Amino acid sequence: MQEKKQKFFTSWFYKWFLNNQAASFLLVCLLVLVNLFLFNKVGYVVKPIVSFVEIILLPMILTGLLYYLLNPIVNWLERLKLSRTVAISIVFVLIVILLVWGLAVAIPNIQEQIVSFARNVPNYIQNIEKQVNGWLQDERFEQFRPTVIEMMNRLNEQIVSFAQKLSSSAVGWAGNLISTASQIIVAILIMPFILFFLLRDGKNLKGHITKFLPTAWREPVGTVLSDMNGQLSNYVRGQVTVAVIVAIMFSILFSIIGLSYPITLGILAGFLNLIPYLGSFLAMIPAVILGLVAGPFMLIKVLIVFMIEQTIEGRFVTPLIHGSSLSIHPITILFVLLTAGQMYGVLGVLLGIPIYASIKVVLKAIFEWYKQYSGLYEEELVQKKDEGEVASEIGRASCRERVY
């Protein structure tokens, strides 16, 4: 038996393939590509699974969002010697009270402002045209007059083209709207039940997943799941908290300067702020238009409000709430947003960053495993080990100094 093993270890197959790191890496890549090719060819087999995922995707996303927001409250109530079921019930009752208040007070006010804005749109357009024509009559802007007129003509053509496309595709949009509305209704009906059990048994979810894995895999997979959970929870809670603060700031500041529809614009700005970096600029568009309608002085006040809000948000709110929890470069975030938005629309923009952060955790764990397995990073691993020993020795020395 030993002779056969020795003969196998000295064979050309073992030397050139199994004991060759480059060949092993290329073989793994080849197997991955073969699997992707086979999945592409047998896509009809997984089509029912894809349809099932599309059905449960919306309720699962909404449930996950509410879970990360409500789980800290449930944990806090549980620390007050309440059972977890009672704590969840109290949270659900509070949510129902907030929904009733929203339906009775907040939503009617917002609806009134939206209806008033839609009713006054023709007047706003006329005021903008008057102001633009007034600027064009000014001799100081005479050199820009042909360019502005050309831009206005192109804008009118695009508006007419958009209206024609809208009218031609109205039937299809109506069907899609009915389908989307039915999915939302089903998601709202299913979501409370999923949320209740997730809040009650969410702590044991990692153990239920890892118990089906081999013993040697349970600890590293559990670590990856914990890191992913931490990334998602930090991102969701941070983004929602920042969005709420931004909505409150804009509502107050717009009310102070006397801009029309301050509450609606504040809520819209808070919602758009869920999109990192790009949301703040999108929120400027309706406020700038209303400021332009009200006059140059109001436009200046609106721009000052945005400067104040961006300073407070960028210097104080976001660093205090988010910190460096995601460890993602801003350029990477912009690329992820643009790519996800192009591929999956609004849903991709909202979910692109957390999905990217989760994938990053998985790939980082795989790379750490590969560094230990491949033997190609021995010097780096030894250096990290030495640094860890030095840090632990410094920590022990500081503890001894505090003791004495």
Side-chain angles (χ1 to χ4, degrees), residues 257-276:
I257 65 175
L259 186 67
S260 303
Y261 318 112
I263 297 177
T264 303
L265 291 175
I267 294 175
L268 179 62
F271 178 76
L272 292 175
N273 203 75
L274 294 174
I275 305 172

Side-chain angles (χ1 to χ4, degrees), residues 3-4 18 25-26 38 51 83 108 151 199 203 266-267 275 285 309 311 344 347 351 372 382:
E3 293 180 358
K4 290 183 178 180
L18 298 182
F25 176 75
L26 293 176
L38 292 177
S51 300
S83 67
M151 290 176 58
L199 287 171
K203 293 182 178 180
I267 294 175
I275 305 172
I285 297 175
E309 186 277 332
T311 302
Y344 303 106
L347 191 63
L351 300 180
Q372 297 179 358
V382 171

Side-chain angles (χ1 to χ4, degrees), residues 13-28:
F13 180 76
Y14 179 80
K15 291 180 179 179
W16 286 93
F17 288 95
L18 298 182
N19 199 34
N20 190 312
Q21 304 297 338
S24 300
F25 176 75
L26 293 176
L27 182 61
V28 171

